[in-house]
Amino acid sequence: MEKQLIDYEDVLTVTDVKNILKIGTNRAYDLVRAGTIKSLRIGNQYRIPKKCMIDYLESCYNNDMKPAI
């Protein structure tokens, strides 16, 4: 998992999440707002630690390869 994210900073944006998962902006915000992907809210922006993105991706693979998106 981590190798796929090597080009990204240690703290991701919702746009990064959108690009990594190849989903729309609204769906990316839904995942972050619901807490499905853990994040920090700073003002009106979300920041996602890379570790939380990795945890989310691993949880998708550990659940019989059924992504939770």
Side-chain angles (χ1 to χ4, degrees):
M1 281 308 143
E2 292 179 46
K3 291 179 185 178
Q4 296 168 334
L5 302 177
I6 199 158
D7 293 334
Y8 288 93
E9 299 292 329
D10 290 336
V11 179
L12 307 172
T13 64
V14 174
T15 301
D16 293 331
V17 170
K18 177 183 96 151
N19 293 334
I20 291 165
L21 297 177
K22 299 191 181 0
I23 59 176
T25 303
N26 290 339
R27 187 63 181 133
Y29 273 106
D30 289 345
L31 290 169
V32 170
R33 286 182 185 136
T36 306
I37 299 174
K38 304 289 184 218
S39 65
L40 303 168
R41 187 167 179 178
I42 302 170
N44 63 350
Q45 297 181 343
Y46 290 94
R47 293 294 179 251
I48 302 96
K50 190 188 289 187
K51 169 77 169 103
C52 294
M53 187 71 217
I54 292 167
D55 291 345
Y56 170 75
L57 291 170
E58 287 176 349
S59 75
C60 291
Y61 285 104
N62 291 334
N63 289 327
D64 296 325
M65 299 290 287
K66 295 177 187 171
I69 17 181

